[in-house]
Amino acid sequence: MTRYDNCDKPLPPAVCTTNGTGLEREEWSSREALELAQGIINAIPDVLFEVDRDGRYLNVWTKNFDLLAAPKEALLGRTVHEILPPEQATSAMEALATADEKGVSYGHIISIPQQDGTLLWFEHSLAKKHGERPSEDSFLVLSRDITERKKVEHALEEARTRLLSVVQAIPDAVWLKDMDGIFLFCNQAFEQAVGKPEAEVIGGTDYDLFDPETATRCRETDRAAIEAGRLCIDEEWITHRGIGQRILLETRKIPVFDAKGRMTGVFGVGCDITQRKHMEEALAAREREFRTLVENTPDTVARYDRDFRRLYVNPAFAALIEGGATVLIGKTPSECPGGPTSVIYEQQMRKVFTTAKDREFEFTWKNKGGREFCTLIRLTPEFGEDGTVESVLAVGRDITELNASRQKIHQMAFYDPLTSLPNRALFNDRLRQMIADASCHGQIAGVMLIDLDRFKEVNDTMGHAVGDELLCEVAARLRACVRNHDTVARFGGDEFAILLPEISHGDGLGRIADRILGKFDEPFLLDGKEVFVSCSLGVAVYPDDSSNADDLVKYADSAMYCAKRSGRNNFRYYSEDLTANAQQRLVLESELRRAVERNELELHYQPKVLLHEGMMVGSEALLRWRHPRLGMVPPMQFIQIAEDTGLIVDLGAWVLREACRTAAKWNGEAKPAHKVAINLSARQFQLQDLAGAVADILDDTACRPEWIELEITESLLLDNNDGTLDTLSALRAMGITIAIDDFGTGYSALSYLARFPIDTLKIDRSFIQSAITDHYGAELVKAILSIARSLGQQVVAEGVETVQQAAFLTAHGCQLAQGFLYSKPLPEAEIASLPQAFIGNHPATETARP
């Protein structure tokens, strides 16, 4: 008996003869049909079941037995309720009922759990097979494994869910329209943009959402994307119907195609750029505003890249160079305008790129016409997105005239106008520097003072012009006798001085002195006549004689007079023992440390007077030390000790507190304003919070900031310390005014007058004393007054002793003065008894000497 491979039913007998009966031919045809069916079953991957009405398995055909819920032998004769889980069995019986009713049933999907926890999915198609009797009817069930299809569908559903979540979560409006402009989908952002829920959007068109003009514009951009067949970007204004607010969307529209490549609609994304648009308009307005400022400022403005090439110049800069912006853009300072100082400019820019910090410096250069300019340059770093310096903005202010005035003042303040040699002020500055360098390197240095013998006779017999000629010739001979780095100075009259640093041997000073004396043995040709003039020299040696600048000058002066007393035309070394002076200094230091606790210190006040009215408007607080044994100790004896030992900090705090207490007392109700000036030491600026300490004292003494003025020295500002600038700015912000004491006596760099918050300049008494008797002194005072006036600063003249001096100052615009003409420094009680107006000393009726 022959069987199908996967079937237990026997096949009909084979018909072997060619001349069979009709029955044989019928059996043959049946056999062919069964073989065809068997071939089909073997060709498909599905499972074919035959079950009865009760769901009992009658037969199974398959080549993939792994798809069976149980082994074949365990299936046959058992029902689906015995093989499948309850839920799946119930579903299978429902499918049988449908097939029994309709003859066929399709699309019944069930899942079969596996031992590993996974599911196999099957799709069942059923056909009713009629038996001889209804009870013998059975059903053929074609079970197809759709597990992979289910996995794909599940993955697609998850992807769709994620995509919808993303679309709903993004802040941009998203929508889909068909070819007729009917909305098929929109996200929440679109709902918020149009002010309608999705249910009211889907199925509608732009004309249901927007006004006709906006809707027509939207349809036009849709058609543009459809016609272009690609992404189109545009900007569209829409109106939120809920709040009536207009919103600007940047829209991106792209055609959508189906699987066959047919265009089915338009997909759109809209980003709300309303705020960005407003910001761009505001930025554009600000840019126009700043461009107007930059292009109309008299300052030069330029931007440089990392290669120091100009990216931009403003018209003020372009106007300085022949060819204008064309020759400047893309060029470095070395290329245009060029010159040796351009290297310094680029070095400064390199530091800004390296440190990412502002820099300020003065730059001197020449244009093609040869005119020299001096510009104050401020370099500011401009940062990129990564935080590095991307470019540098350079703003330059023309200070050519200021520089010329500054050079003139510097020349007048530090150089002798007759011989062009350094004067006493510059000599003293270089002397201190020489001492510092010699101390650092362990070197010997010398100070020489030279005085001409019988110079007065030349002046009296041959005239002042010949005397001036002699002084100039002396200056030239002295310069010829020393090295290039030595300093030859003129103190005044016929007195000269020389600084001699880096002396390798002690006798080197003697050889130089002999060389000078030898030069003076040669005759001077004056007014066509030979004149012989000798000189006397005094020498002091650092560090053998002293390490103090003033002492070295004093000792050299003593040695010079010793040479004069010894017959002139020779030189002498200083040899005085300094032990006594040193011992006295130690005693004073020890006593000074106890002066505060013993109440030995007191303040005296010297009035400040309005020159044009003669009214007292303030005073300067001056520290005095009344020692029980030594009496009144001069300030010049103990102030420097206090500075050197650091005691000045405690003394300064005491002075500040006492002066503020007095200021509060003098500025009570119904009393005329009286501002008290208080000197601050550079040491006090080394405190962590000087401004805070001053504020505390003001609070403790009930003194208002406007009642005091703090005086500082030029040397403090020349350190170019940002901490000093911050402290002075904080004090100014409190309402305290700042004054520079002894202005003009230091080695000034006048740029600090613009950089620091300075309110008042106090002209040193030495300038005031020479203003009446010396033309150059008068010009120097007038120059200082002019600068202060230009900068809006007040001027106080110190050391005014005569009515003529007061009249001169009044005539040239000086506002305030103090000095013995009005009063010496007095204790607090005596100041209160002074008249408010110094009528007798009022200079209004005097005539100022030029």
Side-chain angles (χ1 to χ4, degrees), residues 164 167-168 172-177 182-194 196-203 209 267-268:
L164 286 176
V167 170
Q168 292 292 355
D172 295 339
V174 179
W175 66 90
L176 179 65
K177 301 178 188 175
I182 297 174
F183 285 94
L184 305 177
F185 168 81
C186 71
N187 69 344
Q188 294 178 358
F190 185 88
E191 297 177 38
Q192 295 173 358
V194 301
K196 285 193 174 184
E198 181 184 16
E200 296 182 22
V201 174
I202 304 303
L209 302 178
F267 179 79

PDB file of all heavy atoms in Angstrom, residues 164 167-168 172-177 182-194 196-203 209 267-268:
ATOM      1  N   LEU A 164       6.001  59.386  15.671  1.00  0.00           N
ATOM      2  CA  LEU A 164       4.913  60.283  16.076  1.00  0.00           C
ATOM      3  C   LEU A 164       5.266  61.001  17.374  1.00  0.00           C
ATOM      4  O   LEU A 164       4.951  62.174  17.556  1.00  0.00           O
ATOM      5  CB  LEU A 164       3.615  59.489  16.241  1.00  0.00           C
ATOM      6  CG  LEU A 164       2.946  59.040  14.945  1.00  0.00           C
ATOM      7  CD1 LEU A 164       1.724  58.167  15.244  1.00  0.00           C
ATOM      8  CD2 LEU A 164       2.523  60.240  14.101  1.00  0.00           C
ATOM      9  N   VAL A 167       7.695  63.706  16.447  1.00  0.00           N
ATOM     10  CA  VAL A 167       6.996  64.776  15.730  1.00  0.00           C
ATOM     11  C   VAL A 167       6.155  65.610  16.693  1.00  0.00           C
ATOM     12  O   VAL A 167       6.084  66.830  16.591  1.00  0.00           O
ATOM     13  CB  VAL A 167       6.133  64.197  14.601  1.00  0.00           C
ATOM     14  CG1 VAL A 167       5.222  65.264  14.008  1.00  0.00           C
ATOM     15  CG2 VAL A 167       7.016  63.610  13.510  1.00  0.00           C
ATOM     16  N   GLN A 168       5.517  64.922  17.670  1.00  0.00           N
ATOM     17  CA  GLN A 168       4.694  65.643  18.624  1.00  0.00           C
ATOM     18  C   GLN A 168       5.545  66.436  19.624  1.00  0.00           C
ATOM     19  O   GLN A 168       5.114  67.455  20.148  1.00  0.00           O
ATOM     20  CB  GLN A 168       3.784  64.668  19.386  1.00  0.00           C
ATOM     21  CG  GLN A 168       2.702  64.027  18.535  1.00  0.00           C
ATOM     22  CD  GLN A 168       1.650  65.008  18.064  1.00  0.00           C
ATOM     23  OE1 GLN A 168       1.660  66.174  18.440  1.00  0.00           O
ATOM     24  NE2 GLN A 168       0.748  64.555  17.186  1.00  0.00           N
ATOM     25  N   ASP A 172       8.736  72.647  16.552  1.00  0.00           N
ATOM     26  CA  ASP A 172       8.344  73.167  15.247  1.00  0.00           C
ATOM     27  C   ASP A 172       6.999  72.589  14.827  1.00  0.00           C
ATOM     28  O   ASP A 172       6.656  71.442  15.160  1.00  0.00           O
ATOM     29  CB  ASP A 172       9.389  72.819  14.190  1.00  0.00           C
ATOM     30  CG  ASP A 172      10.720  73.495  14.464  1.00  0.00           C
ATOM     31  OD1 ASP A 172      10.723  74.498  15.202  1.00  0.00           O
ATOM     32  OD2 ASP A 172      11.750  73.013  13.955  1.00  0.00           O
ATOM     33  N   ALA A 173       6.238  73.384  14.105  1.00  0.00           N
ATOM     34  CA  ALA A 173       4.955  72.932  13.585  1.00  0.00           C
ATOM     35  C   ALA A 173       5.189  71.979  12.415  1.00  0.00           C
ATOM     36  O   ALA A 173       6.001  72.251  11.535  1.00  0.00           O
ATOM     37  CB  ALA A 173       4.111  74.123  13.141  1.00  0.00           C
ATOM     38  N   VAL A 174       4.471  70.822  12.416  1.00  0.00           N
ATOM     39  CA  VAL A 174       4.612  69.807  11.367  1.00  0.00           C
ATOM     40  C   VAL A 174       3.219  69.469  10.842  1.00  0.00           C
ATOM     41  O   VAL A 174       2.275  69.307  11.625  1.00  0.00           O
ATOM     42  CB  VAL A 174       5.302  68.537  11.905  1.00  0.00           C
ATOM     43  CG1 VAL A 174       5.419  67.487  10.812  1.00  0.00           C
ATOM     44  CG2 VAL A 174       6.680  68.872  12.469  1.00  0.00           C
ATOM     45  N   TRP A 175       3.085  69.350   9.511  1.00  0.00           N
ATOM     46  CA  TRP A 175       1.796  69.017   8.926  1.00  0.00           C
ATOM     47  C   TRP A 175       1.994  68.257   7.617  1.00  0.00           C
ATOM     48  O   TRP A 175       3.087  68.248   7.040  1.00  0.00           O
ATOM     49  CB  TRP A 175       0.974  70.282   8.684  1.00  0.00           C
ATOM     50  CG  TRP A 175       1.553  71.201   7.653  1.00  0.00           C
ATOM     51  CD1 TRP A 175       1.323  71.200   6.317  1.00  0.00           C
ATOM     52  CD2 TRP A 175       2.505  72.244   7.895  1.00  0.00           C
ATOM     53  NE1 TRP A 175       2.048  72.177   5.698  1.00  0.00           N
ATOM     54  CE2 TRP A 175       2.782  72.845   6.637  1.00  0.00           C
ATOM     55  CE3 TRP A 175       3.127  72.732   9.036  1.00  0.00           C
ATOM     56  CZ2 TRP A 175       3.677  73.894   6.501  1.00  0.00           C
ATOM     57  CZ3 TRP A 175       3.995  73.779   8.897  1.00  0.00           C
ATOM     58  CH2 TRP A 175       4.278  74.360   7.653  1.00  0.00           C
ATOM     59  N   LEU A 176       0.893  67.590   7.185  1.00  0.00           N
ATOM     60  CA  LEU A 176       0.890  66.846   5.916  1.00  0.00           C
ATOM     61  C   LEU A 176      -0.408  67.160   5.197  1.00  0.00           C
ATOM     62  O   LEU A 176      -1.497  67.108   5.796  1.00  0.00           O
ATOM     63  CB  LEU A 176       1.009  65.340   6.184  1.00  0.00           C
ATOM     64  CG  LEU A 176       0.986  64.435   4.952  1.00  0.00           C
ATOM     65  CD1 LEU A 176       2.220  64.703   4.078  1.00  0.00           C
ATOM     66  CD2 LEU A 176       0.938  62.963   5.355  1.00  0.00           C
ATOM     67  N   LYS A 177      -0.287  67.515   3.934  1.00  0.00           N
ATOM     68  CA  LYS A 177      -1.467  67.808   3.103  1.00  0.00           C
ATOM     69  C   LYS A 177      -1.458  66.893   1.890  1.00  0.00           C
ATOM     70  O   LYS A 177      -0.396  66.434   1.433  1.00  0.00           O
ATOM     71  CB  LYS A 177      -1.446  69.252   2.603  1.00  0.00           C
ATOM     72  CG  LYS A 177      -1.427  70.325   3.659  1.00  0.00           C
ATOM     73  CD  LYS A 177      -1.369  71.698   2.987  1.00  0.00           C
ATOM     74  CE  LYS A 177      -1.159  72.809   3.998  1.00  0.00           C
ATOM     75  NZ  LYS A 177      -0.992  74.130   3.335  1.00  0.00           N
ATOM     76  N   ILE A 182      -5.628  69.499   1.448  1.00  0.00           N
ATOM     77  CA  ILE A 182      -6.398  69.090   2.624  1.00  0.00           C
ATOM     78  C   ILE A 182      -5.427  68.514   3.658  1.00  0.00           C
ATOM     79  O   ILE A 182      -4.576  67.679   3.342  1.00  0.00           O
ATOM     80  CB  ILE A 182      -7.461  68.045   2.245  1.00  0.00           C
ATOM     81  CG1 ILE A 182      -8.472  68.684   1.267  1.00  0.00           C
ATOM     82  CG2 ILE A 182      -8.175  67.515   3.479  1.00  0.00           C
ATOM     83  CD1 ILE A 182      -9.482  67.717   0.721  1.00  0.00           C
ATOM     84  N   PHE A 183      -5.568  68.986   4.887  1.00  0.00           N
ATOM     85  CA  PHE A 183      -4.685  68.532   5.951  1.00  0.00           C
ATOM     86  C   PHE A 183      -4.972  67.081   6.308  1.00  0.00           C
ATOM     87  O   PHE A 183      -6.133  66.699   6.557  1.00  0.00           O
ATOM     88  CB  PHE A 183      -4.837  69.399   7.198  1.00  0.00           C
ATOM     89  CG  PHE A 183      -4.193  70.747   7.086  1.00  0.00           C
ATOM     90  CD1 PHE A 183      -4.914  71.859   6.672  1.00  0.00           C
ATOM     91  CD2 PHE A 183      -2.841  70.897   7.373  1.00  0.00           C
ATOM     92  CE1 PHE A 183      -4.311  73.087   6.560  1.00  0.00           C
ATOM     93  CE2 PHE A 183      -2.237  72.135   7.267  1.00  0.00           C
ATOM     94  CZ  PHE A 183      -2.967  73.240   6.854  1.00  0.00           C
ATOM     95  N   LEU A 184      -3.926  66.257   6.340  1.00  0.00           N
ATOM     96  CA  LEU A 184      -4.029  64.849   6.719  1.00  0.00           C
ATOM     97  C   LEU A 184      -3.453  64.589   8.102  1.00  0.00           C
ATOM     98  O   LEU A 184      -3.814  63.618   8.758  1.00  0.00           O
ATOM     99  CB  LEU A 184      -3.293  63.970   5.698  1.00  0.00           C
ATOM    100  CG  LEU A 184      -3.721  64.137   4.234  1.00  0.00           C
ATOM    101  CD1 LEU A 184      -2.861  63.262   3.341  1.00  0.00           C
ATOM    102  CD2 LEU A 184      -5.205  63.786   4.063  1.00  0.00           C
ATOM    103  N   PHE A 185      -2.563  65.448   8.536  1.00  0.00           N
ATOM    104  CA  PHE A 185      -1.912  65.259   9.834  1.00  0.00           C
ATOM    105  C   PHE A 185      -1.324  66.596  10.290  1.00  0.00           C
ATOM    106  O   PHE A 185      -0.916  67.421   9.472  1.00  0.00           O
ATOM    107  CB  PHE A 185      -0.779  64.213   9.729  1.00  0.00           C
ATOM    108  CG  PHE A 185       0.106  64.177  10.936  1.00  0.00           C
ATOM    109  CD1 PHE A 185      -0.281  63.496  12.078  1.00  0.00           C
ATOM    110  CD2 PHE A 185       1.327  64.839  10.941  1.00  0.00           C
ATOM    111  CE1 PHE A 185       0.535  63.475  13.195  1.00  0.00           C
ATOM    112  CE2 PHE A 185       2.146  64.822  12.049  1.00  0.00           C
ATOM    113  CZ  PHE A 185       1.749  64.140  13.190  1.00  0.00           C
ATOM    114  N   CYS A 186      -1.252  66.780  11.617  1.00  0.00           N
ATOM    115  CA  CYS A 186      -0.532  67.916  12.192  1.00  0.00           C
ATOM    116  C   CYS A 186      -0.118  67.561  13.612  1.00  0.00           C
ATOM    117  O   CYS A 186      -0.742  66.705  14.249  1.00  0.00           O
ATOM    118  CB  CYS A 186      -1.382  69.189  12.173  1.00  0.00           C
ATOM    119  SG  CYS A 186      -2.763  69.162  13.337  1.00  0.00           S
ATOM    120  N   ASN A 187       0.926  68.193  14.091  1.00  0.00           N
ATOM    121  CA  ASN A 187       1.384  67.925  15.466  1.00  0.00           C
ATOM    122  C   ASN A 187       0.865  69.001  16.413  1.00  0.00           C
ATOM    123  O   ASN A 187       0.177  69.950  16.008  1.00  0.00           O
ATOM    124  CB  ASN A 187       2.906  67.798  15.525  1.00  0.00           C
ATOM    125  CG  ASN A 187       3.604  69.122  15.278  1.00  0.00           C
ATOM    126  OD1 ASN A 187       3.001  70.073  14.787  1.00  0.00           O
ATOM    127  ND2 ASN A 187       4.877  69.193  15.609  1.00  0.00           N
ATOM    128  N   GLN A 188       1.222  68.837  17.707  1.00  0.00           N
ATOM    129  CA  GLN A 188       0.716  69.764  18.719  1.00  0.00           C
ATOM    130  C   GLN A 188       1.234  71.182  18.505  1.00  0.00           C
ATOM    131  O   GLN A 188       0.525  72.155  18.768  1.00  0.00           O
ATOM    132  CB  GLN A 188       1.117  69.271  20.109  1.00  0.00           C
ATOM    133  CG  GLN A 188       0.465  67.957  20.495  1.00  0.00           C
ATOM    134  CD  GLN A 188       0.910  67.450  21.855  1.00  0.00           C
ATOM    135  OE1 GLN A 188       1.736  68.083  22.496  1.00  0.00           O
ATOM    136  NE2 GLN A 188       0.374  66.312  22.275  1.00  0.00           N
ATOM    137  N   ALA A 189       2.486  71.295  18.040  1.00  0.00           N
ATOM    138  CA  ALA A 189       3.031  72.633  17.808  1.00  0.00           C
ATOM    139  C   ALA A 189       2.219  73.362  16.737  1.00  0.00           C
ATOM    140  O   ALA A 189       2.019  74.578  16.823  1.00  0.00           O
ATOM    141  CB  ALA A 189       4.499  72.540  17.386  1.00  0.00           C
ATOM    142  N   PHE A 190       1.760  72.635  15.720  1.00  0.00           N
ATOM    143  CA  PHE A 190       0.928  73.260  14.682  1.00  0.00           C
ATOM    144  C   PHE A 190      -0.404  73.702  15.279  1.00  0.00           C
ATOM    145  O   PHE A 190      -0.908  74.792  14.975  1.00  0.00           O
ATOM    146  CB  PHE A 190       0.706  72.269  13.539  1.00  0.00           C
ATOM    147  CG  PHE A 190      -0.028  72.859  12.362  1.00  0.00           C
ATOM    148  CD1 PHE A 190       0.661  73.503  11.359  1.00  0.00           C
ATOM    149  CD2 PHE A 190      -1.417  72.797  12.267  1.00  0.00           C
ATOM    150  CE1 PHE A 190      -0.002  74.057  10.279  1.00  0.00           C
ATOM    151  CE2 PHE A 190      -2.095  73.349  11.204  1.00  0.00           C
ATOM    152  CZ  PHE A 190      -1.384  73.979  10.194  1.00  0.00           C
ATOM    153  N   GLU A 191      -0.985  72.833  16.144  1.00  0.00           N
ATOM    154  CA  GLU A 191      -2.244  73.206  16.794  1.00  0.00           C
ATOM    155  C   GLU A 191      -2.078  74.515  17.574  1.00  0.00           C
ATOM    156  O   GLU A 191      -2.923  75.413  17.501  1.00  0.00           O
ATOM    157  CB  GLU A 191      -2.682  72.093  17.755  1.00  0.00           C
ATOM    158  CG  GLU A 191      -2.987  70.763  17.081  1.00  0.00           C
ATOM    159  CD  GLU A 191      -3.328  69.696  18.110  1.00  0.00           C
ATOM    160  OE1 GLU A 191      -4.004  70.025  19.097  1.00  0.00           O
ATOM    161  OE2 GLU A 191      -2.907  68.542  17.939  1.00  0.00           O
ATOM    162  N   GLN A 192      -0.959  74.619  18.324  1.00  0.00           N
ATOM    163  CA  GLN A 192      -0.735  75.831  19.108  1.00  0.00           C
ATOM    164  C   GLN A 192      -0.512  77.038  18.212  1.00  0.00           C
ATOM    165  O   GLN A 192      -0.929  78.152  18.538  1.00  0.00           O
ATOM    166  CB  GLN A 192       0.479  75.621  20.017  1.00  0.00           C
ATOM    167  CG  GLN A 192       0.254  74.546  21.070  1.00  0.00           C
ATOM    168  CD  GLN A 192       1.515  74.229  21.850  1.00  0.00           C
ATOM    169  OE1 GLN A 192       2.568  74.792  21.576  1.00  0.00           O
ATOM    170  NE2 GLN A 192       1.420  73.311  22.805  1.00  0.00           N
ATOM    171  N   ALA A 193       0.143  76.825  17.072  1.00  0.00           N
ATOM    172  CA  ALA A 193       0.435  77.949  16.179  1.00  0.00           C
ATOM    173  C   ALA A 193      -0.832  78.520  15.566  1.00  0.00           C
ATOM    174  O   ALA A 193      -0.961  79.736  15.407  1.00  0.00           O
ATOM    175  CB  ALA A 193       1.420  77.516  15.091  1.00  0.00           C
ATOM    176  N   VAL A 194      -1.778  77.640  15.200  1.00  0.00           N
ATOM    177  CA  VAL A 194      -2.999  78.119  14.524  1.00  0.00           C
ATOM    178  C   VAL A 194      -4.139  78.326  15.509  1.00  0.00           C
ATOM    179  O   VAL A 194      -5.181  78.887  15.148  1.00  0.00           O
ATOM    180  CB  VAL A 194      -3.420  77.144  13.406  1.00  0.00           C
ATOM    181  CG1 VAL A 194      -2.312  77.012  12.384  1.00  0.00           C
ATOM    182  CG2 VAL A 194      -3.797  75.779  13.965  1.00  0.00           C
ATOM    183  N   LYS A 196      -6.023  75.940  16.942  1.00  0.00           N
ATOM    184  CA  LYS A 196      -7.125  74.990  16.760  1.00  0.00           C
ATOM    185  C   LYS A 196      -6.647  73.587  17.073  1.00  0.00           C
ATOM    186  O   LYS A 196      -5.489  73.251  16.807  1.00  0.00           O
ATOM    187  CB  LYS A 196      -7.648  75.049  15.323  1.00  0.00           C
ATOM    188  CG  LYS A 196      -8.504  76.265  15.014  1.00  0.00           C
ATOM    189  CD  LYS A 196      -9.232  76.090  13.690  1.00  0.00           C
ATOM    190  CE  LYS A 196     -10.214  77.239  13.434  1.00  0.00           C
ATOM    191  NZ  LYS A 196     -10.989  77.032  12.211  1.00  0.00           N
ATOM    192  N   PRO A 197      -7.540  72.735  17.606  1.00  0.00           N
ATOM    193  CA  PRO A 197      -7.151  71.344  17.875  1.00  0.00           C
ATOM    194  C   PRO A 197      -7.029  70.564  16.575  1.00  0.00           C
ATOM    195  O   PRO A 197      -7.539  70.959  15.527  1.00  0.00           O
ATOM    196  CB  PRO A 197      -8.277  70.823  18.768  1.00  0.00           C
ATOM    197  CG  PRO A 197      -9.457  71.655  18.408  1.00  0.00           C
ATOM    198  CD  PRO A 197      -8.933  73.014  18.078  1.00  0.00           C
ATOM    199  N   GLU A 198      -6.395  69.416  16.677  1.00  0.00           N
ATOM    200  CA  GLU A 198      -6.156  68.581  15.488  1.00  0.00           C
ATOM    201  C   GLU A 198      -7.463  68.183  14.814  1.00  0.00           C
ATOM    202  O   GLU A 198      -7.560  68.143  13.577  1.00  0.00           O
ATOM    203  CB  GLU A 198      -5.359  67.336  15.892  1.00  0.00           C
ATOM    204  CG  GLU A 198      -5.024  66.414  14.728  1.00  0.00           C
ATOM    205  CD  GLU A 198      -4.313  65.151  15.176  1.00  0.00           C
ATOM    206  OE1 GLU A 198      -4.346  64.832  16.375  1.00  0.00           O
ATOM    207  OE2 GLU A 198      -3.728  64.468  14.312  1.00  0.00           O
ATOM    208  N   ALA A 199      -8.487  67.909  15.620  1.00  0.00           N
ATOM    209  CA  ALA A 199      -9.764  67.460  15.046  1.00  0.00           C
ATOM    210  C   ALA A 199     -10.355  68.506  14.114  1.00  0.00           C
ATOM    211  O   ALA A 199     -11.029  68.158  13.130  1.00  0.00           O
ATOM    212  CB  ALA A 199     -10.753  67.135  16.176  1.00  0.00           C
ATOM    213  N   GLU A 200     -10.123  69.782  14.397  1.00  0.00           N
ATOM    214  CA  GLU A 200     -10.650  70.843  13.536  1.00  0.00           C
ATOM    215  C   GLU A 200      -9.734  71.138  12.356  1.00  0.00           C
ATOM    216  O   GLU A 200     -10.126  71.823  11.423  1.00  0.00           O
ATOM    217  CB  GLU A 200     -10.872  72.114  14.351  1.00  0.00           C
ATOM    218  CG  GLU A 200     -11.925  71.960  15.440  1.00  0.00           C
ATOM    219  CD  GLU A 200     -12.156  73.263  16.189  1.00  0.00           C
ATOM    220  OE1 GLU A 200     -11.838  74.332  15.615  1.00  0.00           O
ATOM    221  OE2 GLU A 200     -12.635  73.223  17.333  1.00  0.00           O
ATOM    222  N   VAL A 201      -8.490  70.654  12.442  1.00  0.00           N
ATOM    223  CA  VAL A 201      -7.538  70.899  11.364  1.00  0.00           C
ATOM    224  C   VAL A 201      -7.654  69.830  10.285  1.00  0.00           C
ATOM    225  O   VAL A 201      -7.720  70.137   9.084  1.00  0.00           O
ATOM    226  CB  VAL A 201      -6.093  70.946  11.920  1.00  0.00           C
ATOM    227  CG1 VAL A 201      -5.080  71.055  10.780  1.00  0.00           C
ATOM    228  CG2 VAL A 201      -5.934  72.110  12.874  1.00  0.00           C
ATOM    229  N   ILE A 202      -7.654  68.554  10.708  1.00  0.00           N
ATOM    230  CA  ILE A 202      -7.669  67.437   9.755  1.00  0.00           C
ATOM    231  C   ILE A 202      -8.935  67.495   8.913  1.00  0.00           C
ATOM    232  O   ILE A 202     -10.051  67.652   9.428  1.00  0.00           O
ATOM    233  CB  ILE A 202      -7.577  66.088  10.490  1.00  0.00           C
ATOM    234  CG1 ILE A 202      -6.329  66.054  11.368  1.00  0.00           C
ATOM    235  CG2 ILE A 202      -7.577  64.935   9.487  1.00  0.00           C
ATOM    236  CD1 ILE A 202      -5.065  66.305  10.611  1.00  0.00           C
ATOM    237  N   GLY A 203      -8.749  67.376   7.613  1.00  0.00           N
ATOM    238  CA  GLY A 203      -9.877  67.423   6.676  1.00  0.00           C
ATOM    239  C   GLY A 203     -10.156  68.818   6.164  1.00  0.00           C
ATOM    240  O   GLY A 203     -10.906  68.980   5.198  1.00  0.00           O
ATOM    241  N   LEU A 209      -8.330  77.867   8.154  1.00  0.00           N
ATOM    242  CA  LEU A 209      -7.491  78.253   9.290  1.00  0.00           C
ATOM    243  C   LEU A 209      -7.086  79.712   9.265  1.00  0.00           C
ATOM    244  O   LEU A 209      -6.961  80.342  10.322  1.00  0.00           O
ATOM    245  CB  LEU A 209      -6.223  77.388   9.331  1.00  0.00           C
ATOM    246  CG  LEU A 209      -6.418  75.875   9.428  1.00  0.00           C
ATOM    247  CD1 LEU A 209      -5.060  75.184   9.416  1.00  0.00           C
ATOM    248  CD2 LEU A 209      -7.173  75.506  10.691  1.00  0.00           C
ATOM    249  N   PHE A 267       4.626  67.637   2.526  1.00  0.00           N
ATOM    250  CA  PHE A 267       4.984  67.583   3.944  1.00  0.00           C
ATOM    251  C   PHE A 267       5.635  68.909   4.315  1.00  0.00           C
ATOM    252  O   PHE A 267       6.522  69.392   3.602  1.00  0.00           O
ATOM    253  CB  PHE A 267       5.951  66.425   4.193  1.00  0.00           C
ATOM    254  CG  PHE A 267       6.387  66.314   5.632  1.00  0.00           C
ATOM    255  CD1 PHE A 267       5.559  65.744   6.580  1.00  0.00           C
ATOM    256  CD2 PHE A 267       7.631  66.778   6.027  1.00  0.00           C
ATOM    257  CE1 PHE A 267       5.963  65.631   7.903  1.00  0.00           C
ATOM    258  CE2 PHE A 267       8.039  66.678   7.344  1.00  0.00           C
ATOM    259  CZ  PHE A 267       7.194  66.099   8.279  1.00  0.00           C
ATOM    260  N   GLY A 268       5.198  69.498   5.427  1.00  0.00           N
ATOM    261  CA  GLY A 268       5.717  70.812   5.808  1.00  0.00           C
ATOM    262  C   GLY A 268       6.182  70.871   7.253  1.00  0.00           C
ATOM    263  O   GLY A 268       5.619  70.209   8.122  1.00  0.00           O
TER     264      GLY A 268
END
